């Protein structure tokens, strides 16, 4: 279920401290330690899954991550200003932590391509 050497599993288990912004039965949301925007939250499934490429029809927490992120975005009144949701996979996608996570970025203009 949880992997001993996984950073985000340790954050889920509160073995490593984080600034928690959302907690549900299956999802934890916390502030990114190196924020790239005024709002930069990460949403992770409490059960370890390596990345979006490991999502299956039976193991698919992505909808829950999106619901948690949009809930927080709404609370932060970012619905009118806008925000970005990002999932990175693998080397070329820039994934640095191998535990599925959804980034919520907002609080500034972030027109594509990312700057
Ligand atoms: P990735 O590049 O894998 O899509 O995103 C991983 C994110 O995790 C990065 O934005 C990075 O700043 C963040 N991060 C790495 N280590 C920690 C940590 O110990 N605590 C928190 N809160 N965020 C972290
Ligand atoms: Zn993990």
């Amino acid at each position: 279920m949880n992997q001993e050497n996984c950073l985000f599993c340790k954050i889920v288990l509160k073995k490593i401290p984080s600034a928690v912004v959302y907690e549900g039965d299956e999802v934890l949301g916390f502030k990114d330690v190196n924020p790239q925007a005024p709002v930069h939250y990460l949403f992770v499934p409490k059960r370890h899954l390596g990345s979006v490429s490991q999502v299956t029809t039976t193991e698919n927490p992505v909808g829950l991550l999106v619901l948690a992120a949009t809930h927080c975005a709404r609370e932060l009144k970012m619905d009118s200003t806008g925000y970005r949701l990002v999932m990175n996979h693998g080397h070329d996608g820039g994934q640095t932590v191998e535990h599925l996570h959804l980034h919520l970025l907002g609080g500034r203009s972030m027109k594509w391509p990312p700057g």
Side-chain angles (χ1 to χ4, degrees):
M1 183 169 179
N2 287 93
Q3 298 209 339
E4 228 167 85
N5 290 319
C6 171
L7 176 64
F8 287 172
C9 282
K10 287 181 188 164
I11 286 179
V12 165
L13 294 171
K14 315 268 165 80
K15 288 181 177 168
I16 291 178
S18 70
V20 172
V21 294
Y22 176 94
E23 181 148 21
D25 289 345
E26 296 179 52
V27 174
L28 187 74
F30 52 92
K31 290 185 181 179
D32 196 296
V33 80
N34 182 24
Q36 301 302 308
V39 174
H40 189 171
Y41 295 172
L42 301 171
F43 296 86
V44 305
K46 289 186 171 179
R47 280 169 65 93
H48 180 89
L49 206 58
S51 89
V52 69
S53 84
Q54 286 169 23
V55 165
T56 64
T57 48
T58 49
E59 185 81 31
N60 188 349
V62 170
L64 294 176
L65 300 182
V66 170
L67 285 174
T70 55
H71 169 83
C72 289
R74 218 169 286 120
E75 284 207 325
L76 292 163
K77 315 271 185 231
M78 295 200 304
D79 260 356
S80 54
T81 49
Y83 53 86
R84 176 169 293 151
L85 300 179
V86 176
M87 268 184 197
N88 297 321
H89 168 70
H91 178 268
D92 285 357
Q95 184 180 11
T96 58
V97 179
E98 290 186 14
H99 178 130
L100 174 64
H101 49 282
L102 177 66
H103 297 255
L104 167 65
L105 295 140
R108 68 167 170 86
S109 173
M110 282 175 297
K111 294 201 176 84
W112 198 262

